[in-house]
Amino acid sequence: MELDLQKYSVRTDLAVDSRELAARQYPESIPGVDEEVSDKDGIKVTRLNVLTDEGSQAIGRIKGHYVTLEVPGLRKGDTGLQERVTEAFAREFEGFLTLIGIQKKDSVLIVGLGNWNVTPDSLGPLVVENVLVTRQYFELMPDQVAPGYRQISAIAPGVLGITGIESSEIVQGIVERTKPDLIIAIDALASRSLERVNTTIQIADIGIHPGSGVGNKRRGLTKEVLGVPCIAIGVPTVCYASTIVNNVMEMMKKHFGQGTNQTREIMGLLDNISENERLALVKEVLEPLGHDLIVTPKEIDEFIEDIANVVASGLNASLHDAVDTGNTGAYTH
């Protein structure tokens, strides 16, 4: 079955966003989709398993496993909360490795996608700077590697506009030479929800398509392309102007509804049309003018360093038994 992701992917890379859209059609439960949600200490974890073609079509996501951590408090720069998120991310990622059958001895290639010259797109390269790389020790002095460490290599391949080479082609060449057992691809994403920008981490076992968050559909980093299992880690750092306008319209509708029963008179036809129709209208107005901009919050400089530290520290702790979240070697302010 050919899955049409177009109506979802132009606005969001997050499975939880797509789940919310699908819930309007399936208010009880989505057939072929299992969902488990926990919320503790300000960290909401949603585990979505898309099991069937029917579920895949309903939710607009490829079949696979998705884990999403939502932490609204990350916007406040609370270092204590960041440490708790690091621990939660490490636990979830370690469980994810077990779920897809990755063993303790399996080697890993970490790929940091994105453009290090563009702050909202620099998450991948920043994480690569901060992960604990060990492959050289296994190659050059294997008898001196202490127990509890895994063979890790890492690369930030840049973007097509800088290198002239697709990221997947660079990674494919590395995979053919170094033969890792697992690839972890890290990239910045787009979200349809303003609340999830800069506050959310998604883990998925379906791989990743570089540039998909900003509408550039190119060859992806997937098991089908690379011949190796590929886990994607993403953080939404941008959203579209059309998404913001659409969200504001929805907030206005709710605001008017709290104070008057004349919402229809105030909003006119916009009160009756569906969200998809309203978004299509907004895009129709903005795009010809060149105003459907890709927007990122003004505090992105500080956030991107903080979240890269969280992801790198969590990866170090989950990939190496000898490392805990309090001593990962990752970058800190």
Side-chain angles (χ1 to χ4, degrees):
M1 179 183 68
E2 185 67 23
L3 180 63
D4 179 17
L5 296 176
Q6 186 63 24
K7 65 179 179 180
Y8 298 92
S9 60
V10 294
R11 294 186 294 169
T12 183
D13 295 307
L14 296 180
V16 288
D17 281 344
S18 299
R19 166 68 180 86
E20 288 178 351
L21 288 172
R24 299 176 184 185
Q25 184 177 354
Y26 303 93
E28 296 295 328
S29 63
I30 301 175
V33 177
D34 286 344
E35 180 179 16
E36 179 186 345
V37 181
S38 64
D39 196 338
K40 184 179 180 182
D41 296 331
I43 303 172
K44 180 181 178 182
V45 180
T46 303
R47 303 174 189 90
L48 280 176
N49 299 318
V50 183
L51 305 172
T52 66
D53 289 339
E54 182 183 9
S56 179
Q57 189 66 48
I59 201 174
R61 294 285 120 185
I62 298 169
K63 283 191 294 185
H65 306 285
Y66 302 82
V67 175
T68 308
L69 289 81
E70 299 176 67
V71 194
L74 280 177
R75 293 180 186 273
K76 300 176 182 178
D78 182 344
T79 54
L81 178 60
Q82 290 171 13
E83 291 175 2
R84 295 197 299 275
V85 175
T86 298
E87 294 170 1
F89 172 75
R91 286 195 304 269
E92 292 296 330
F93 195 80
E94 192 166 354
F96 207 85
L97 294 176
T98 302
L99 178 67
I100 66 172
I102 300 300
Q103 306 297 316
K104 295 286 187 182
K105 66 180 186 305
D106 289 344
S107 60
V108 177
L109 169 64
I110 298 174
V111 180
L113 298 168
N115 187 342
W116 47 76
N117 296 313
V118 180
T119 303
D121 197 32
S122 62
L123 173 70
L126 282 172
V127 172
V128 163
E129 284 184 15
N130 299 323
V131 292
L132 181 58
V133 174
T134 59
R135 182 176 180 271
Q136 69 272 33
Y137 304 119
F138 282 87
E139 290 289 311
L140 300 176
M141 49 186 73
D143 56 325
Q144 298 183 35
V145 177
Y149 289 93
R150 186 196 299 262
Q151 187 177 152
I152 303 292
S153 54
I155 182 72
V159 292
L160 182 63
I162 293 176
T163 65
I165 309 171
E166 287 279 10
S167 299
S168 64
E169 293 177 328
I170 296 173
V171 174
Q172 192 165 18
I174 295 172
V175 168
E176 290 173 357
R177 292 298 298 269
T178 65
K179 295 179 171 50
D181 299 306
L182 171 70
I183 295 169
I184 300 172
I186 300 144
D187 200 7
L189 307 178
S191 174
R192 66 174 286 275
S193 168
L194 294 174
E195 293 78 12
R196 291 190 173 115
V197 172
N198 287 6
T199 65
T200 305
I201 305 172
Q202 176 177 272
I203 309 167
D205 65 349
I206 61 165
I208 204 164
H209 292 267
S212 62
V214 293
N216 298 331
K217 293 299 185 62
R218 302 199 308 273
R219 180 176 168 137
L221 276 67
T222 65
K223 185 176 181 179
E224 290 72 25
V225 171
L226 300 171
V228 179
C230 187
I231 297 176
I233 299 173
V235 175
T237 61
V238 300
C239 61
Y240 280 86
S242 56
T243 299
I244 296 173
V245 173
N246 189 50
N247 285 357
V248 169
M249 286 184 178
E250 184 65 26
M251 285 187 270
M252 288 173 60
K253 180 178 174 180
K254 291 179 180 178
H255 176 73
F256 291 138
Q258 292 172 352
T260 178
N261 58 3
Q262 296 181 323
T263 306
R264 180 171 296 181
E265 286 78 359
I266 297 172
M267 299 290 293
L269 290 174
L270 293 176
D271 186 50
N272 294 325
I273 63 177
S274 69
E275 182 181 2
N276 280 341
E277 292 172 325
R278 190 171 61 231
L279 180 63
L281 175 62
V282 172
K283 289 174 67 66
E284 185 179 339
V285 172
L286 291 178
E287 283 185 346
L289 302 174
H291 292 165
D292 195 8
L293 308 175
I294 296 170
V295 182
T296 192
K298 63 181 180 180
E299 68 270 19
I300 188 63
D301 298 77
E302 181 177 354
F303 169 78
I304 205 74
E305 293 180 351
D306 288 343
I307 199 67
N309 184 32
V310 167
V311 173
S313 299
L315 285 176
N316 289 339
S318 58
L319 293 174
H320 303 285
D321 287 345
V323 176
D324 60 42
T325 55
N327 182 25
T328 62
Y331 172 86
T332 56
H333 291 301

